[in-house]
Amino acid sequence: MTTNADVRERGVGVRFERLSVRREGRLILDEITASAPCGGATVIVGPNGAGKTTLLRCLLEETEYSGHIEFVSFDGDRATRPVLGYVPQHLFADAQMPLRVYEFLSLNAEKKPLWLGCSPKNRRRSRELLELVGAEKLENQRLGDLSGGELRRVLLASALGRRPRLLALDEAEAGVDYRGERLFWELLDKSRRELGFTLLMVSHNLPLAAHYATHVICVKKEMIAQGAPRSTLTASTLLELFGVPIHLYPNQCENPGPICAGCGALGNLAYSDNIDGDITS
């Protein structure tokens, strides 16, 4: 289990200062000032086209922007650019490609062509990474044969293999069924707490964001709100974001439904401490 000292050593936060992006004369992001606190789980929410993915791409240095991005240590001091892990929304794997999961996880470590085989050391490391995400049974499967949920576990294992201090995900739980999505969030939460990295992810699942996030950033090309989920994902903020009434908390509804004991949000969600089980597409 991660100690406070471990989190100080591993997790690195990030600050976006007046960050703007223009593409072909069109304003994509307009002076975003927001932060992802060190060691926490920050979720970026907003409608389609709000610039959520663009914000991550700026962090990954894949998009030009104006403004500043700063990294922050546990004590609030500026930090050097940390090792970043990234799990994309999509990875298109050719179903005919013979690449095995353990070979995929060894790509960055092997110094010889894969057709000569993986070294015992890298094979063991691949197995350890799969055990971290509860996917050791996938070790010998072909990448193209995996379900959407299985592929997401493998991509998460690959990202964790970099030993990141900051892990970014772009709707990496999208495309799986509800049970699989919940299990993926539980897996992320468990990994973050044990390994101590900072999590920054884009998601459309507001109830799960309310439950698992420690911090929320609401964007709609410009900054709308940020803070703890309960004080940020309010009915008025969500109406401004999505243009429809959305009530996550019981004091905002005339007829509130079941309430999650963990976060106080509405939703008939069967949360569990057990993350065993398959994430299926």
Side-chain angles (χ1 to χ4, degrees), residues 8-9 12 29 78 84 119 123-124 129 131 142 148 152 156 169 172 180 185 198 214 226 231 236 242 262 268 271:
R8 291 188 182 96
E9 177 66 25
V12 169
L29 288 173
R78 291 186 62 177
L84 297 178
S119 68
R123 186 70 182 264
R124 287 194 301 271
L129 291 172
E131 289 173 352
R142 294 195 315 171
R152 280 160 176 77
L156 178 58
L169 298 94
W185 281 73
T198 300
T214 60
Q226 70 169 327
S231 61
S236 58
F242 299 103
N268 188 17
Y271 295 109

Side-chain angles (χ1 to χ4, degrees), residues 6-213:
D6 295 328
V7 174
R8 291 188 182 96
E9 177 66 25
R10 292 293 307 279
V12 169
V14 59
R15 291 175 182 156
F16 302 97
E17 297 285 346
R18 301 188 68 178
L19 188 143
S20 297
V21 175
R22 287 185 178 273
R23 188 174 300 139
E24 298 178 351
R26 185 165 59 96
L27 187 63
I28 307 299
L29 288 173
D30 186 13
E31 296 202 343
I32 299 295
T33 295
S35 63
C38 179
T42 296
V43 179
I44 306 171
V45 302
N48 290 335
K52 304 183 298 297
T53 294
T54 299
L55 192 60
L56 285 190
R57 290 177 63 85
C58 293
L59 177 68
L60 298 171
E61 298 184 324
E62 294 181 354
T63 294
E64 293 185 0
Y65 60 89
S66 63
H68 302 281
I69 297 178
E70 295 181 349
F71 298 99
V72 187
S73 70
F74 186 87
D75 296 322
D77 299 326
R78 291 186 62 177
T80 58
R81 184 176 179 85
V83 174
L84 297 178
Y86 176 59
V87 181
Q89 182 178 2
H90 300 294
L91 177 68
F92 298 100
D94 187 344
Q96 304 303 316
M97 185 170 56
L99 190 68
R100 305 283 173 177
V101 167
Y102 74 86
E103 294 172 327
F104 172 74
L105 293 176
S106 300
L107 283 174
N108 292 330
E110 283 294 341
K111 297 181 180 179
K112 62 180 185 298
L114 281 178
W115 55 267
L116 292 176
C118 290
S119 68
K121 176 183 177 181
N122 288 332
R123 186 70 182 264
R124 287 194 301 271
R125 177 58 176 161
S126 296
R127 189 175 298 116
E128 290 170 357
L129 291 172
L130 290 171
E131 289 173 352
L132 276 178
V133 299
E136 54 269 30
K137 68 179 183 180
L138 303 178
E139 179 182 1
N140 293 302
Q141 291 196 30
R142 294 195 315 171
L143 207 64
D145 292 338
L146 300 180
S147 70
E150 290 171 339
L151 181 58
R152 280 160 176 77
R153 287 202 182 201
V154 171
L155 292 176
L156 178 58
S158 178
L160 294 179
R162 293 175 53 83
R163 295 181 174 88
R165 301 181 71 184
L166 176 60
L167 178 64
L169 298 94
D170 186 9
E171 295 190 61
E173 84 284 24
V176 298
D177 62 24
Y178 188 81
R179 177 177 180 273
E181 189 174 5
R182 181 179 64 82
L183 288 172
F184 189 78
W185 281 73
E186 288 188 353
L187 181 60
L188 281 173
D189 190 60
K190 178 176 181 290
S191 299
R192 178 183 66 85
R193 292 175 183 276
E194 291 185 352
L195 300 179
F197 56 79
T198 300
L199 177 65
L200 177 62
M201 68 182 293
V202 171
S203 179
H204 282 290
N205 194 314
L206 297 176
L208 289 179
H211 183 77
Y212 288 104

